[in-house]
Amino acid sequence: MNIVYTVDNKFVPQLATGICSICENNKEEDVCFYVVSKGITDDNKDALTRYVEKYGKKICIIELSNVKDYIDFDFDTNGWSSIVLARLFLDKLLPDDINRILYLDGDTLVLKDLSNFYNIDLGDKVLGMCPEPTVDKGRRKFLALGEVPYHNSGVLLIDLKRWRREEIGKKVIDFYKLHDGKLFAPDQDALNGALNKDIATLSISYNYFNIYCFIEC
């Protein structure tokens, strides 16, 4: 399994916790972690490497020097670190022989074995995402979603082989550019707006967060 994160140095404690949750619940699985870094210190990189290797897993830390090397227009991330945009061009950062990845936000906790989830059949869709319950009608209309669900970008199961073959990343970044690099939730809105008919909607159990507790009540 290829697990991908995009984080800066401030998020290393959360990242380490998330990695621990995967290692503890996937002890028999062959896992390689790819961490796209924005300024993670050498000490923290060394600590993460030792930690992952203790579990018999692999880790590759990829330093992203400048997001603008991949996005050639001005953008406003609306308060988010620009590292969130890296998930839009992971195909440019990861080894060419990787066919499927599971992207996780750095603060995601994994409570069970991931193998069944990782191997879900996406059918004719290029990626799988889970619904985002907090989106309002205005943003749905702005993104022209119609009846298509709006999805959360914190968990992305990506057919990276097809993503590359069909230049999906370019399609997403072009959508971002079309909106002058100004979207409310930059990476999330770009994915939903550009790929709304090419997203497999997955169960909320794969990206469950506390807002669902209030909805269920």
Side-chain angles (χ1 to χ4, degrees):
M1 290 189 292
N2 302 300
I3 314 295
V4 182
Y5 296 96
T6 61
V7 297
D8 57 23
N9 194 59
K10 295 178 182 178
F11 225 72
V12 167
Q14 294 91 328
L15 170 63
T17 303
I19 287 176
C20 175
S21 72
I22 292 175
C23 293
E24 286 291 334
N25 290 290
N26 295 267
K27 292 183 178 179
E28 304 304 317
E29 300 297 328
D30 183 14
V31 179
C32 184
F33 297 99
Y34 290 90
V35 178
V36 179
S37 157
K38 183 184 178 186
I40 295 179
T41 66
D42 289 341
D43 286 346
N44 278 338
K45 288 178 181 178
D46 291 343
L48 287 170
T49 300
R50 291 195 303 271
Y51 189 65
V52 168
E53 291 178 348
K54 182 182 71 173
Y55 282 97
K57 313 298 185 186
K58 299 176 183 177
I59 186 169
C60 177
I61 301 176
I62 302 165
E63 189 62 37
L64 178 61
S65 57
N66 192 346
V67 171
K68 289 194 172 183
D69 290 340
Y70 301 90
I71 298 181
D72 62 351
F73 53 89
D74 291 335
F75 55 83
D76 179 0
T77 58
N78 203 21
W80 298 95
S81 169
S82 61
I83 192 64
V84 302
L85 299 177
R87 72 193 79 178
L88 304 183
F89 48 85
L90 290 173
D91 56 316
K92 307 295 184 184
L93 302 173
L94 299 175
D96 291 339
D97 59 350
I98 294 179
N99 293 328
R100 174 172 285 217
I101 61 172
L102 174 58
Y103 166 85
L104 299 175
D105 274 353
D107 57 355
T108 303
L109 293 177
V110 173
L111 305 181
K112 295 181 179 179
D113 186 299
L114 281 173
S115 55
N116 288 337
F117 175 44
Y118 188 82
N119 292 300
I120 283 177
D121 183 1
L122 295 175
D124 62 349
K125 309 299 185 183
V126 73
L127 80 162
M129 301 173 71
C130 302
E132 165 60 63
T134 64
V135 65
D136 58 45
K137 292 181 180 179
R139 188 140 52 113
R140 288 183 54 83
K141 182 177 180 180
F142 174 77
L143 296 172
L145 295 184
E147 298 301 316
V148 176
Y150 180 85
H151 300 86
N152 183 277
S153 63
V155 174
L156 304 172
L157 185 61
I158 303 176
D159 180 344
L160 196 59
K161 183 176 182 180
R162 180 180 168 191
W163 184 286
R164 287 187 169 115
R165 184 178 68 244
E166 300 181 14
E167 297 186 327
I168 300 296
K170 182 179 184 303
K171 183 177 180 180
V172 177
I173 291 174
D174 284 349
F175 181 90
Y176 193 23
K177 184 176 184 178
L178 180 66
H179 292 84
D180 299 321
K182 296 177 182 179
L183 293 171
F184 179 78
D187 62 293
Q188 189 165 275
D189 283 357
L191 288 168
N192 277 277
L195 307 179
N196 57 69
K197 293 181 175 61
D198 209 11
I199 299 172
T201 301
L202 306 177
S203 167
I204 62 172
S205 62
Y206 296 122
N207 190 9
Y208 195 89
F209 42 103
N210 60 4
I211 189 64
Y212 288 115
C213 298
F214 298 99
I215 293 173
E216 291 174 351
C217 292

